[in-house]
Amino acid sequence: MPPVVGIDVSGTRMAWAVFDYEAELAECQVYRLTAGKQYELICEGLRDAKRITPEPSFIGIEQPHFGFPKAAYIHGMAVARSEDACRALWRQTPVRFFQPTEWRRIAGVGGRASKERVREFVSDEFGFSPQTQDEADAACVAIAMWIEDQGE
């Protein structure tokens, strides 16, 4: 089974993680996004992930809920651009969206886990080495996608 990809994106940053438990593959990276070049920078970052996994089995993208219209709009655009980039790079790969409490629960870290707990979890349990919280979140999204795909 090919690896899975997890993505955590905001208006200013995008992180991806590639995960395959059986192959002991756990890599993640974060990219800074700038206004006017958001889509191009997302594509550039995901091309790096594609070098690791040319055709992942699934892609998971975090899609949080925002109560403020402006924040929801900005974040929604980043999520939509991420989905577009994924569909351009990996045409046959299914894309799934996760709420933050959902990916935490599925991965086994707990739906309301703290940021510190998420970082410890992906490092200690699965071998990721996240340098930022965005990388840790993307790793946990990938872990949740893997668990959901494998039915474990």
Side-chain angles (χ1 to χ4, degrees):
M1 154 141 310
V4 296
V5 174
I7 298 170
D8 177 43
V9 66
S10 71
T12 59
R13 290 177 310 282
M14 186 271 303
W16 58 258
V18 175
F19 181 67
D20 183 337
Y21 183 78
E22 292 167 357
E24 297 182 5
L25 174 62
E27 292 196 35
C28 53
Q29 208 164 346
V30 68
Y31 299 82
R32 184 149 183 74
L33 305 177
T34 57
K37 296 180 88 179
Q38 192 179 56
Y39 180 74
E40 292 83 2
L41 294 169
I42 289 169
C43 285
E44 182 181 312
L46 291 177
R47 278 188 208 100
D48 289 340
K50 187 170 177 132
R51 286 187 211 25
I52 297 167
T53 180
E55 199 61 46
S57 57
F58 284 94
I59 299 167
I61 302 175
E62 180 189 59
Q63 186 176 28
H65 169 77
F66 285 96
F68 303 103
K70 185 175 181 179
Y73 174 77
I74 291 168
H75 195 283
M77 290 301 295
V79 169
R81 288 177 178 136
S82 296
E83 179 185 13
D84 288 348
C86 287
R87 295 196 189 282
L89 291 168
W90 298 294
R91 295 187 189 279
Q92 303 302 316
T93 304
V95 176
R96 163 128 159 51
F97 297 94
F98 289 93
Q99 292 289 316
T101 55
E102 183 182 20
W103 58 253
R104 287 183 184 112
R105 180 184 47 76
I106 293 169
V109 70
R112 300 280 180 204
S114 68
K115 293 177 183 215
E116 295 78 25
R117 176 67 188 119
V118 170
R119 282 183 89 160
E120 290 171 5
F121 178 76
V122 300
S123 297
D124 297 347
E125 301 292 327
F126 293 97
F128 280 97
S129 299
Q131 301 301 308
T132 68
Q133 188 60 45
D134 296 311
E135 289 174 315
D137 289 351
C140 216
V141 170
I143 292 164
M145 190 76 258
W146 176 266
I147 290 169
E148 191 170 81
D149 181 42
Q150 296 296 306
E152 296 176 11

